[in-house]
Amino acid sequence: MKVARLGNKIVGTLVKDRMQYPGRLVADTFSLIARCGILLTLYWYVYQLEGGTVNGTTYAFVAWSMFFYFAFSTFRLRGISNLIMQDVKSGNVEVLFSKPVSYLGYRTWWQIGTGMYSFLVASLLGTAVMVLVIGLPPTMTTAMFLPTFVLVFLGASILTLIVYTIVGLLAFWIEDIAPVFGVVDKSVMILGGSYLPVALFPNFLYKIALYSPFGASQFVTHTVYESWQTDWYALIGIQVFWILLLGVVVVTMFAGAKKKVSINGG
């Protein structure tokens, strides 16, 4: 209950702050329109040249899959890595460790609150535009779509936070995590279907995207395809597996980080 109250307070405060200063919302909305819009236009031309079907998939499926990726990216959950690194570099982590709240819990809720407002507004506006311009593919009108989408979205959010928390915690040992962050971030972009939709992946790349934590953290991009109707439980199971496994890694690394601060910081 204490963690929930803390999370609610942090998220509520940050959302109100973002509403008063909408600069981030403007930047995220523009980024979503520019990056996603250009790619959707490019793929529309490709599908027109190919007669409306590529690799057995029509344009609407690919468009919504890519939109889900870019909309999810406006949540900015990946920013938790930089927060942790800045805490370590500034020494602020020693102060936060002494507080009667979980450091990782505090940073997790802070990151969620930071991106929540932009994500909700940009995603809702983007969804409305997508429905008007492209329409809904039949898979998104089934009764199972919304509940399974919510489940996989929650799994993707938790797994993304865990993956980037691991990267952030490396700052206790290597301080500058930028190279590691770059590798992980590019892996998530490629395997998540940012520029090449997962439906167009070659088989070997699709398998990597399916069974790696980087691809699993972006399973929201799979929900629009027809295969989701039969494979959703398996994909959510993969997410749960990685959440549990990498969750243990986070706990282990954090225990080591606290010992390191106790030894070096007193």
Side-chain angles (χ1 to χ4, degrees):
M1 292 298 292
K2 181 179 179 181
V3 175
R5 287 197 298 270
L6 173 65
N8 183 62
K9 183 66 175 179
I10 292 173
V11 172
T13 301
L14 288 172
V15 168
K16 290 178 182 178
D17 180 70
R18 295 300 183 268
M19 292 174 68
Q20 295 297 321
Y21 304 96
R24 174 64 61 81
L25 172 61
V26 174
D28 285 340
T29 303
F30 179 78
S31 176
L32 180 62
I33 293 172
R35 297 167 64 193
C36 188
I38 291 172
L39 282 171
L40 293 185
T41 302
L42 175 62
Y43 275 97
W44 182 82
Y45 278 108
V46 171
Y47 270 84
Q48 291 301 305
L49 293 174
E50 294 296 324
T53 303
V54 177
N55 200 27
T57 305
T58 59
Y59 175 70
F61 291 102
V62 166
W64 277 98
S65 176
M66 298 183 74
F67 169 72
F68 284 154
Y69 173 87
F70 284 104
F72 185 68
S73 70
T74 62
F75 209 169
R76 294 181 175 269
L77 298 178
R78 57 206 281 272
I80 194 170
S81 293
N82 189 59
L83 277 178
I84 296 173
M85 181 180 69
Q86 292 303 320
D87 284 339
V88 174
K89 286 186 172 183
S90 66
N92 189 44
V93 69
E94 296 179 24
V95 177
L96 293 174
F97 272 15
S98 66
K99 301 297 182 182
V101 296
S102 167
Y103 170 75
L104 291 183
Y106 170 75
R107 275 297 170 225
T108 296
W109 286 115
W110 185 277
Q111 193 60 46
I112 291 173
T114 298
M116 178 71 76
Y117 179 63
S118 294
F119 166 72
L120 290 176
V121 176
S123 297
L124 290 174
L125 290 176
T127 298
V129 172
M130 290 287 290
V131 171
L132 291 173
V133 176
I134 298 174
L136 291 174
T139 52
M140 292 180 63
T141 60
T142 62
M144 62 161 290
F145 174 77
L146 188 57
T148 56
F149 181 86
V150 171
L151 285 175
V152 81
F153 173 80
L154 291 175
S157 300
I158 295 170
L159 185 54
T160 297
L161 285 167
I162 289 175
V163 168
Y164 285 99
T165 294
I166 290 174
V167 176
L169 288 174
L170 288 174
F172 285 94
W173 288 272
I174 63 176
E175 191 167 321
D176 186 5
I177 62 169
V180 179
F181 178 87
V183 171
V184 171
D185 203 45
K186 293 301 183 293
S187 298
V188 170
M189 289 178 63
I190 294 170
L191 299 176
S194 59
Y195 298 112
L196 180 66
V198 292
L200 305 184
F201 280 6
N203 187 58
F204 79 93
L205 187 60
Y206 181 77
K207 293 296 184 183
I208 296 174
L210 200 62
Y211 295 112
S212 71
F214 310 119
S217 68
Q218 303 296 319
F219 273 172
V220 289
T221 61
H222 292 244
T223 57
V224 69
Y225 297 115
E226 293 179 345
S227 60
W228 181 254
Q229 309 291 312
T230 55
D231 297 344
W232 65 269
Y233 60 90
L235 270 64
I236 291 177
I238 292 172
Q239 281 187 329
V240 171
F241 168 79
W242 282 116
I243 288 171
L244 293 176
L245 180 61
L246 296 183
V248 172
V249 174
V250 167
V251 171
T252 303
M253 290 182 68
F254 187 58
K258 288 193 291 186
K259 290 180 181 179
K260 192 173 184 65
V261 169
S262 296
I263 293 173
N264 296 334

